[in-house]
Amino acid sequence: MDEAGMDKILLFAVLALTLVGLVMVYSSSYTIAPEISGSKVPSYFLRKHVVRIVFGFLLLFLFARVGENALRTLARPLMIVSIVLLVLTLLPTSLSHSVRGASRWLKVGGFSFQPSEVTKIALVVYLADFVSRRRYDIRRFSNGFLPAFLVIGLVVLLVAMEPNIGTAAMLLLIGLVVLFAGGAHPLHLSASLAGCAGAMLMFMRVTGYNWERIDAHLSSSAEGAGYHLWQSLIAIGAGGLKGVGVGMGNQKYLFVPDAHTDFVFAITAEEIGLLGMLGIIGLFFVFVWRGLKAARRAQTVFSSVMATGITMAIAAYFCVSAGVCTGLLPTAGLPMPFMSYGGTSSMILLASCGMLLGVSRRRQSFIDLQPSRWRALVK
Amino acid sequence: MKPGAYKMFILFAGFLVFVALIVVKLVDIQIVKHDYYSKIANQQHGFIRSIPAKRGSIFDRNLQPLAVTLPAVRVCADPSMIEDAGPVAARLAEVLGVNRRTVAGKLAERDSRFKLIDRAADVEAAAALKCLDLPGVYFEPAGKRVSPMDQVARNVIGYLSVDDRPLGGIELSLDDELRGKPGTRRYLRDALGNARPCVGAIVEMPVSGNSVVLTIDADLQAVAEAALDEAIQSNKGKGGCVVIVDPRCGDILALASSPRGCNYPVRTVFEPGSALKICTFSTGLELGKVDTTTVFNTNGGKLKVPGGWIRDDHPRDFPDLIDALAFSSNVASAQIARLVGSWEFYRYLKAFGFGSRTGIALEGESPGILREPHLWSKRSLETLAIGQEIGVTAVQLAMAYAAVANGGTLLRPRLVKAIIDEDGNIKKRYPAKAVRTVIRHETALEMIRLLETVVQEGTGVPARIEGIRVAGKTGTGQKAECGKYIEGKFHSVFAGFTPADDARYVCTVVVDEPSGWTHYGGTVCGPAFKSIVEFLLRREKRLIPSQCQRLTSLRESPLSQGSTAVPASGVELSSRLETGREGLYPSIEGMSLREATQVLASAGISWSASGSGRVVRQDPAAYSPLDGARTCSLTLGAME
């Protein structure tokens, strides 16, 4: 096993996105910090974000060093802990903590965090371990697909009950992507995806929760699309080609709700314009490209599947968040990777980037990639 | 099984497809619909506040300021931000000198976001307040209109309402020039509508208004106002006005009005009475129907007209043209009008500017009332000749007198001389404008002579001033309401000009409803005219003729001293005056009655006359020796 250094380009993309994110978190939050936090310091959110980023990078370098075996050992306990935490969130204990009618938070010793964020990485690692353990059975239904899908279904259901439909959908998507990468049968995947989508729509229709967002999205006119999206579109549109300048945006003055979290994409688009956005999209492109490359070059099934899962999870979050802000998708409160202010998600994100970089470190050498060796390895 | 390249490819392709969708969407929003969204964004982010423009000043003809805007500060309060209204109100009241309780009451309305504390506070007071840093009190630039001459010419200047809207006068009629163009400042706000803590960017600079230079002479205006007040007070009048015009260019030098606020001289329509006879006589002379030698048979001062009589107030037997005007013979005027005829007379009244607006730069000018002849009654011609059945404004009357005074040209009254910008550069001039030539120069000169006699020995004596030549005419018009004359309610008028031979000031004085011991125009308005001219005399020495000559009578000193051309008839008159010889009856045949009586009077001969026209026969005959009786009977008639 070659102890090659981690992928510098991938690391650069992570660093660049994090830095842009720092700037945008400050730019989008300084105007609303007094309104939301009650603190008079405009840099309130920036300060907290910097602390998380610093912790996040510590985690990143830590997980980049953690070996594959250690990760695989952790996979099942991590999954179990996640599920326990999700259940705790739902139970009306002193630990659970609800915001705006949704109990998504757990508060432990002064720190509050979202178990669903932890679940995200736990699910990827667990499923990567699962498919690598059952690499020969995975194409089957009862032995392979079904147990994995039941785990996915459990966490998705728990998250959906918080309620947090957006994240639940993302978990389902990530889980299925990991299973796809792990070799699950396309028929199983597509059938379950369709079934789950239908079930989720039914759930929303019946409970009424978030249904108006879907409804709003289906209505054709921009003005009728709901206040969030409308303000988001104004922000993006006002940005134009070159943007109004970093820090100069006007839409963050409470016009776009959740400017520093879910709609940071819109604020960024207003301030740096189309050209800047193409730059950011380019950075994500580089990240996904290098992430998948690391997955492809990974030595083991576990590493490869896990790297694919992490990369595609981040890619999916980016796509969905951008899609929500531009009106391609119905409004869902999902953070934008690297760019949004967020406690748990920022740290989990950087930790998973660390795992990804770790995979890139343990890549096969050029010789390892020779077809003969490749086939020999598979056998 | 390790994921194969094709799975990576599928996932990567899926990512790329979605990214491509996002890019397409971004291009659509940010490039294609950029203008649309920018516009909406601008609308919701900013709000425009106007920066008031400095209003231009109003100056008199000597650039003496009549109305200027001084910088001031608008003090406003946001009661919702004031915790404890008491001390704040006390401070505000103390510094601004406003009522503390009123302020406290305003501040107590905690629901309100805006209360006006002081519309135009002094800059110093506002600066002091700013230092106090009171919560919820803020300041906006404003202007304060002040009149350095106080109420002088208020009717001309007009005034501004509390919210700086022009109400009347030049402020209203030239508001477009004066008000300037307010600038705009754009402030940004957040979604809750609160102004963001930033200095608003100036979108557009305010443009200061231009200033107006009037033709008004503020000192003269003040004197005119004082004289008018005096005339109204001493005659217990209801109101009135004084108009002073420079007949050479039509400049309105003073436009006094009482009551002050209403523009009496251009709005109030009255019957000029005898003052209109200037038109009657001018028309008669102009058309050659009469001349200075014409003698009128006034039939003891009454004339039958359809539906009644026209009577003279100062009846004279056989007045000639000069006396007819001097003693304001209504009968003679009616006779002249008959000679002239309806349409001609109407044409001349129109030519003198009656019945149409003069075009003075003030709002609400009345055209007066002058009906066309086909609407006249059977006696309208005669009635019009004595200044009834016609409504005029004081300005119209003044311009008609100015037309005579300047030699026959009706001018457009000029109230605004020029518009100047902030730095004093002339932006626009208002040149003097002649409307039309009404009468020939010769006619005007004869009229001036006639009018001078009015003041020297006729009804206008109260306006006579020793040492200078004054011409003028009195008038007393009955007030009418609902088509009926009201007993005992009059308009007293005096219109005159000085110096008579080179008129520089035409002055019309009108007193509304004098209810003192008399209502005759000369007695009521003459003194006011006199005091105004006396002021001018003190101020301008050159009004006094170079050869300081005492003019007691036209007869003693005909127009030969005048700098203006001597009319032919005058030469004739003076040459004929010499025809008398000691001890003989003078030859007076061919003379007008006036000339004849002058000659006879100088020779100490009494006379009697019959008929009208010129002397066709005298008895005893010319050059017969004077006998003891020293009487001469004259037969008047038309000459061949």
Side-chain angles (χ1 to χ4, degrees):
Chain A
M1 188 186 288
D2 277 10
E3 275 289 327
M6 58 177 84
D7 188 341
K8 298 287 189 303
I9 298 175
L10 185 59
L11 182 63
F12 162 79
V14 170
L15 282 173
L17 284 168
T18 309
L19 275 176
V20 174
L22 269 177
V23 173
M24 287 322 296
V25 162
Y26 181 60
S27 177
S28 58
S29 72
Y30 75 91
T31 60
I32 50 177
E35 292 280 345
I36 294 179
S37 66
S39 150
K40 288 212 166 178
V41 189
S43 57
Y44 174 82
F45 286 108
L46 177 70
R47 289 176 189 195
K48 291 183 83 168
H49 193 62
V50 167
V51 172
R52 273 105 185 233
I53 293 296
V54 170
F55 269 105
F57 270 95
L58 288 177
L59 288 174
L60 182 142
F61 287 108
L62 177 72
F63 276 102
R65 299 247 155 222
V66 169
E68 191 184 313
N69 291 335
L71 277 177
R72 289 187 72 162
T73 319
L74 273 174
R76 262 185 276 193
L78 202 61
M79 196 66 236
I80 291 164
V81 167
S82 293
I83 291 169
V84 170
L85 288 175
L86 283 176
V87 172
L88 273 179
T89 316
L90 288 175
L91 296 175
T93 59
S94 59
L95 295 174
S96 66
H97 169 56
S98 60
V99 175
R100 283 192 243 168
S103 41
R104 301 175 181 175
W105 300 80
L106 270 186
K107 212 167 189 176
V108 182
F111 290 99
S112 59
F113 67 100
Q114 279 182 294
S116 56
E117 294 293 330
V118 182
T119 310
K120 210 161 47 181
I121 186 68
L123 186 66
V124 172
V125 176
Y126 172 78
L127 288 178
D129 180 49
F130 182 89
V131 293
S132 70
R133 275 188 284 109
R134 302 197 183 189
R135 68 187 79 169
Y136 305 113
D137 297 332
I138 194 67
R139 277 184 74 83
R140 298 204 193 129
F141 183 73
S142 55
N143 263 359
F145 183 78
L146 189 60
F149 184 75
L150 284 178
V151 175
I152 297 172
L154 177 64
V155 293
V156 166
L157 202 63
L158 286 172
V159 172
M161 279 163 69
E162 285 181 354
N164 192 348
I165 303 291
T167 306
M170 291 308 287
L171 283 173
L172 175 68
L173 186 67
I174 292 164
L176 291 180
V177 164
V178 173
L179 288 185
F180 169 74
H185 200 284
L187 188 67
H188 300 158
L189 289 169
S190 45
S192 57
L193 185 65
C196 285
M200 205 164 277
L201 282 175
M202 280 302 288
F203 174 78
M204 282 158 69
R205 189 76 189 91
V206 168
T207 60
Y209 179 77
N210 280 3
W211 180 253
E212 73 277 8
R213 296 191 190 177
I214 307 287
D215 213 27
H217 184 70
L218 293 177
S219 73
S220 54
S221 76
E223 284 92 342
Y227 181 77
H228 289 56
L229 176 59
W230 175 231
Q231 290 297 341
S232 173
L233 290 178
I234 291 173
I236 298 169
L241 185 65
K242 292 175 182 170
V244 298
V246 174
M248 310 284 283
N250 291 311
Q251 280 293 90
K252 59 198 177 195
Y253 286 88
L254 301 173
F255 289 101
V256 174
D258 305 323
H260 62 312
T261 55
D262 300 347
F263 281 94
V264 75
F265 180 89
I267 299 300
T268 313
E270 184 192 10
E271 297 195 349
I272 64 178
L274 180 64
L275 294 178
M277 290 319 283
L278 289 178
I280 287 180
I281 290 169
L283 284 175
F284 273 102
F285 173 84
V286 169
F287 177 85
V288 175
W289 165 46
R290 297 308 290 196
L292 288 180
K293 185 166 183 169
R296 174 132 156 56
R297 285 177 162 199
Q299 286 172 316
T300 61
V301 175
F302 172 77
S303 288
S304 181
V305 170
M306 184 184 71
T308 310
I310 290 171
T311 307
M312 289 320 292
I314 291 171
Y317 262 82
F318 164 73
C319 288
V320 171
S321 182
V324 164
C325 287
T326 51
L328 285 170
L329 295 173
T331 307
L334 293 175
M336 178 111 176
F338 301 108
M339 313 287 286
S340 285
Y341 168 84
T344 326
S345 65
S346 304
M347 287 194 285
I348 297 294
L349 176 74
L350 287 173
S352 33
C353 286
M355 294 177 193
L356 188 57
L357 285 163
V359 172
S360 77
R361 277 178 69 226
R362 296 185 297 270
R363 67 175 180 243
Q364 288 169 316
S365 66
F366 180 71
I367 297 156
D368 292 338
L369 281 175
Q370 295 306 305
S372 53
R373 293 290 306 270
W374 175 264
R375 273 185 225 109
L377 199 80
V378 171
K379 282 169 187 169
Chain B
M1 187 167 78
K2 225 179 100 180
Y6 79 97
K7 283 181 184 166
M8 300 290 180
F9 178 78
I10 288 172
L11 290 173
F12 197 56
F15 170 73
L16 285 184
V17 166
F18 210 94
V19 163
L21 277 176
I22 290 167
V23 171
V24 167
K25 190 78 183 171
L26 278 179
V27 170
D28 177 48
I29 301 170
Q30 297 201 285
I31 308 295
V32 180
K33 294 180 184 154
H34 171 62
D35 292 340
Y36 169 70
Y37 285 119
S38 289
K39 212 176 122 199
I40 294 167
N42 277 334
Q43 279 167 2
Q44 71 176 11
H45 297 152
F47 58 97
I48 299 279
R49 277 289 176 87
S50 76
I51 313 169
K54 189 177 180 292
R55 193 174 176 83
S57 307
I58 300 177
F59 296 107
D60 87 336
R61 63 187 299 117
N62 302 314
L63 292 184
Q64 200 168 344
L66 295 175
V68 290
T69 293
L70 298 181
V73 179
R74 204 154 86 112
V75 183
C76 316
D78 180 351
S80 71
M81 288 173 69
I82 301 172
E83 298 282 325
D84 190 3
V88 175
R91 285 295 177 82
L92 285 172
E94 189 186 341
V95 179
L96 298 174
V98 291
N99 188 305
R100 191 179 61 81
R101 278 197 188 160
T102 320
V103 176
K106 283 179 182 174
L107 298 186
E109 288 178 41
R110 294 296 303 275
D111 303 339
S112 170
R113 297 293 310 267
F114 175 84
K115 283 285 171 196
L116 187 62
I117 304 298
D118 195 335
R119 198 173 283 280
D122 287 343
V123 176
E124 289 83 3
L129 269 183
K130 277 179 196 165
C131 294
L132 292 175
D133 204 14
L134 297 168
V137 176
Y138 59 100
F139 307 90
E140 282 174 2
K144 193 186 205 171
R145 199 71 165 164
V146 295
S147 303
M149 299 273 290
D150 198 30
Q151 292 302 309
V152 170
R154 174 58 61 213
N155 56 313
V156 178
I157 303 164
Y159 43 92
L160 298 182
S161 68
V162 281
D163 51 352
D164 287 347
R165 260 198 292 266
L167 298 173
I170 290 294
E171 298 273 27
L172 177 63
S173 57
L174 286 178
D175 186 46
D176 288 345
E177 293 285 353
L178 286 166
R179 73 164 164 249
K181 199 163 169 281
T184 46
R185 201 186 271 279
R186 188 166 182 272
Y187 293 89
L188 294 172
R189 65 174 162 211
D190 65 20
L192 303 177
N194 295 323
R196 275 157 51 181
C198 60
V199 182
I202 291 179
V203 181
E204 208 174 337
M205 288 294 287
V207 181
S208 296
N210 292 324
S211 293
V212 174
V213 180
L214 299 178
T215 57
I216 294 285
D217 180 331
D219 296 334
L220 188 56
Q221 171 83 21
V223 169
E225 286 177 4
L228 176 64
D229 289 345
E230 166 64 24
I232 292 170
Q233 208 168 16
S234 57
N235 293 289
K236 302 191 179 67
K238 235 177 72 177
C241 67
V242 171
V243 179
I244 303 177
V245 182
D246 185 338
R248 297 169 301 179
C249 51
D251 280 5
I252 304 280
L253 301 173
L255 204 66
S257 172
S258 177
R260 283 281 181 280
C262 80
N263 248 323
Y264 199 111
V266 296
R267 288 193 180 167
T268 307
V269 173
F270 57 90
E271 281 196 352
S274 310
L276 192 80
K277 285 175 188 162
I278 187 179
C279 296
T280 319
F281 280 66
S282 298
T283 312
L285 283 169
E286 177 75 4
L287 297 176
K289 303 293 185 192
V290 290
D291 60 30
T292 43
T293 61
T294 310
V295 172
F296 298 91
N297 183 357
T298 56
N299 194 19
K302 49 182 187 175
L303 178 69
K304 180 92 173 81
V305 290
W309 295 84
I310 282 179
R311 291 172 204 278
D312 283 346
D313 279 336
H314 315 274
R316 295 241 154 177
D317 287 326
F318 300 102
D320 63 2
L321 193 70
I322 297 175
D323 277 343
L325 190 63
F327 296 99
S328 198
S329 171
N330 291 338
V331 175
S333 300
Q335 285 170 338
I336 294 173
R338 281 181 178 173
L339 291 173
V340 169
S342 297
W343 279 100
E344 279 297 288
F345 189 43
Y346 171 76
R347 199 164 65 81
Y348 272 87
L349 285 173
K350 278 301 260 192
F352 269 109
F354 296 112
S356 27
R357 289 188 178 86
T358 59
I360 194 169
L362 285 174
E363 299 283 330
E365 193 197 356
S366 167
I369 302 160
L370 174 60
R371 292 178 301 163
E372 288 184 19
H374 62 87
L375 297 170
W376 290 1
S377 70
K378 280 177 183 162
R379 58 172 289 175
S380 289
L381 177 62
E382 291 85 351
T383 321
L384 270 166
I386 60 171
Q388 295 178 351
E389 275 190 40
I390 183 173
V392 306
T393 65
V395 168
Q396 281 177 341
L397 200 60
M399 295 323 290
Y401 273 76
V404 171
N406 67 19
T409 306
L410 182 73
L411 298 168
R412 194 172 162 172
R414 181 163 73 145
L415 188 58
V416 179
K417 230 173 147 178
I419 303 287
I420 57 177
D421 70 8
E422 212 180 357
D423 306 320
N425 305 313
I426 294 175
K427 300 284 283 183
K428 188 173 170 188
R429 285 172 200 277
Y430 290 81
K433 204 173 153 193
V435 179
R436 66 180 78 87
T437 302
V438 186
I439 48 174
R440 279 177 291 119
H441 195 61
E442 292 74 23
T443 313
L445 291 176
E446 289 203 40
M447 279 309 296
I448 292 168
R449 276 175 55 208
L450 298 181
L451 292 169
E452 219 176 338
T453 320
V454 174
V455 175
Q456 287 304 319
E457 51 194 56
T459 51
V461 168
R464 187 164 73 187
I465 297 155
E466 296 299 319
I468 61 165
R469 299 175 60 177
V470 175
K473 182 74 192 81
T474 62
T476 310
Q478 238 175 309
K479 281 184 89 165
E481 258 172 39
C482 310
K484 273 188 172 175
Y485 285 116
I486 309 159
E487 204 58 47
K489 286 196 176 177
F490 300 94
H491 271 104
S492 300
V493 182
F494 182 85
F497 49 90
T498 186
D501 54 338
D502 180 22
R504 290 155 47 78
Y505 299 98
V506 171
C507 175
T508 307
V509 182
V510 180
V511 173
D512 198 336
E513 264 182 53
S515 47
W517 60 278
T518 177
H519 59 259
Y520 284 107
T523 336
V524 172
C525 304
F529 176 87
K530 191 172 166 182
S531 69
I532 290 165
V533 175
E534 277 170 350
F535 162 77
L536 289 168
L537 204 56
R538 283 196 297 279
R539 195 174 72 168
E540 294 173 52
K541 292 286 181 275
R542 61 195 159 145
L543 281 185
I544 305 166
S546 48
Q547 300 153 321
C548 191
Q549 211 160 0
R550 189 172 166 276
L551 292 162
T552 48
S553 164
L554 181 65
R555 265 143 270 196
E556 282 173 28
S557 168
L559 284 172
S560 47
Q561 282 87 9
S563 57
T564 47
V566 178
S569 62
V571 178
E572 208 181 337
L573 181 61
S574 41
S575 62
R576 282 192 202 172
L577 281 171
E578 287 155 22
T579 54
R581 288 181 195 164
E582 285 300 314
L584 296 175
Y585 277 102
S587 163
I588 50 176
E589 278 180 5
M591 285 188 185
S592 69
L593 183 61
R594 170 177 289 270
E595 288 162 344
T597 51
Q598 276 172 20
V599 173
L600 292 174
S602 64
I605 302 164
S606 58
W607 53 275
S608 63
S610 63
S612 68
R614 290 180 171 262
V615 177
V616 288
R617 205 161 60 81
Q618 66 179 99
D619 183 31
Y623 308 118
S624 52
L626 286 168
D627 53 15
R630 287 175 92 89
T631 51
C632 183
S633 66
L634 308 174
T635 307
L636 304 175
M639 307 281 286
E640 289 94 353

